[in-house]
Amino acid sequence: MMPGSAPLPRRAAAAGRWGCRLLPLLWGLLLLLSGPSGASEITFELPDNAKQCFYEDITQGTKCTLEFQVITGGHYDVDCRLEDPDGQVLYKEMKKQYDSFTFTASRNGTYKFCFSNEFSTFTHKTVYFDFQVGEDPPLFPSENRVSALTQMESACVSIHEALKSVIDYQTHFRLREAQGRSRAEDLNTRVAYWSVGEALILLVVSIGQVFLLKSFFSDKRTTTTRVGS
Amino acid sequence: MATELGTRVVGTPPGLSLGRGMRAFLLLLWFAARGDALYFHIGETEKKCFIEEIPDETMVIGNYRTQLYDKQREEYQPATPGLGMFVEVKDPEDKVILARQYGSEGRFTFTSHTPGEHQICLHSNSTKFSLFAGGMLRVHLDIQVGEHANDYAEIAAKDKLSELQLRVRQLVEQVEQIQKEQNYQRWREERFRQTSESTNQRVLWWSILQTLILVAIGVWQMRHLKSFFEAKKLV
């Protein structure tokens, strides 16, 4: 019998009676008290000459990470700007393809970050960003347990963390592949248009040359005698 | 085929039904807790689209909450109940799999049946242009994909899992998500390879064709000019 399994029957009975009602309530309460946490991962389209801003309320002392990458469009770059509640700029980069920025919130308030495509006239971009605020919410509402985790449970926790980083790497790989594929498809269409265009230009120019040359010799009769003598 | 799942009911175990008031309170609590999610501003007739590139058989849950700027109080207040958001989800083949209108607070769910880029578009259903009073609508949005969309408290209650069993269940779900994503990755890499090979073929054929055209044109030019000059008695 595993250590830590003793409270199980008691918990099962409690869950049967009260847990079904209280468990989600406790969970909700804990989330409310612990403040905002978790990650927001969003991919959106940024039209040309447009700016898109996102806001989040963060409590003081929370460690946050903003990571972004441009997936499709133009030169695959975008302007990014992160401001704290006072308007002070924490991070500002122009025409970046991808970047990651970690900061600790120095005060409570609404933090704002904006992506701008105002420098581009006709290409709209697809931007991915991942804004991680604090830690992910724990799996159990009763995470305030004083006793340490059992070996099995801590093994589970470390596997969970490792899998989270695997998923993170997978996401990055997927974005890179999407970017590469977007470039390859652009290249393919460009090659198609260019070959057809060049064939036409070649024909037009060479036929035009011949007729132009012929026109030099056609109307002026005087030149023929000069050439002859 | 019912691909649209609509709003998801807050999980209640069988044999024990929560009262309506209790459920509403829970939902409110849930939103209050999640309400500090990321938010952005949307114009009156503006349509905001988000892209989710997901493998097949993946569940996506989106939650949103709207607030309208109240000029008198000079702050954002929860929007009037009449103001709703229209949510439209398109699959990679541009076929609409979810097109529904929700209230000022809503939750939409869909499961992908083909892998690829799904597009989630939101716009407000307001027809009166003066409703926003020149301001913007604030939308709190939270989109959870795959394993993150699972409600573990509900799963634990439904299957009566112990702590350890729930943790292992979470690991299993995560690994399944990784597996699906890698499968999808293999399919995408194949498409990428096909595009590259097509480009390669096109460049190869074009160079051969170009050489032939040049040679043919050159020959035609010389012949034509020679006959022209012979006719003019210059040669």
Side-chain angles (χ1 to χ4, degrees), chain B residues 73-92:
Chain B
R73 294 187 218 173
E74 285 194 355
E75 61 172 3
Y76 279 86
Q77 293 295 315
T80 55
L83 181 68
M85 294 289 276
F86 194 80
V87 177
E88 193 181 42
V89 179
K90 284 196 195 155
D91 76 350

Side-chain angles (χ1 to χ4, degrees), chain A residues 66 68 78-82 91-94 114-116:
Chain A
L66 172 67
F68 68 92
V78 77
D79 298 341
C80 178
R81 186 193 177 92
L82 174 67
Y91 171 83
K92 183 179 168 185
E93 284 288 342
M94 313 294 278
C114 299
F115 296 99
S116 162

Side-chain angles (χ1 to χ4, degrees), chain A residues 159-170, chain B residues 174:
Chain A
I159 294 175
H160 177 65
E161 293 296 318
L163 287 179
K164 267 209 300 208
S165 77
V166 169
I167 291 176
D168 195 35
Y169 281 128
Q170 255 188 348
Chain B
Q174 269 189 309

Side-chain angles (χ1 to χ4, degrees), chain B residues 62 72 76 92 108 121 140-141 143 145 221:
Chain B
Q72 288 161 332
Y76 279 86
F108 56 91
C121 289
H140 297 250
L141 185 64
I143 299 177
V145 174
Q221 271 184 329

Side-chain angles (χ1 to χ4, degrees), chain A residues 8 42-43 52 55-56 110 140 145 153 160 170 173-174 181 188 192 194 198 206 209-210 214, chain B residues 36 38-39 48 50-51 162-163 166 174 178 181-182 185 188 191 198 202 210 217 221 224:
Chain A
L8 269 177
I42 287 182
T43 311
Q52 177 71 40
Y55 309 80
E56 179 134 12
T110 308
F140 298 100
R145 53 197 296 175
E153 283 171 351
H160 177 65
Q170 255 188 348
F173 186 68
R174 170 173 61 88
R181 189 161 30 97
N188 199 6
W194 178 72
E198 198 183 317
S206 33
Q209 267 183 334
V210 167
K214 276 165 74 168
Chain B
D36 294 286
L38 205 68
Y39 64 84
K48 278 276 189 301
F50 301 94
I51 297 168
S162 71
E163 254 193 58
L166 189 66
Q174 269 189 309
I178 290 172
E181 181 82 31
Q182 290 203 322
Q185 183 58 37
R188 270 177 305 177
R191 244 183 63 185
S198 150
R202 281 185 194 182
Q210 191 184 27
I217 287 274
Q221 271 184 329
H224 193 83

Side-chain angles (χ1 to χ4, degrees), chain A residues 174 177 181, chain B residues 52-56 92 114-118 178-191:
Chain A
R174 170 173 61 88
E177 190 268 344
R181 189 161 30 97
Chain B
E52 287 292 333
E53 192 171 359
I54 45 179
D56 59 351
T114 41
E117 280 190 5
H118 289 71
I178 290 172
Q179 212 177 6
K180 269 191 239 173
E181 181 82 31
Q182 290 203 322
N183 211 14
Y184 177 38
Q185 183 58 37
R186 196 157 48 102
W187 180 84
R188 270 177 305 177
E189 191 270 340
E190 197 183 312
R191 244 183 63 185

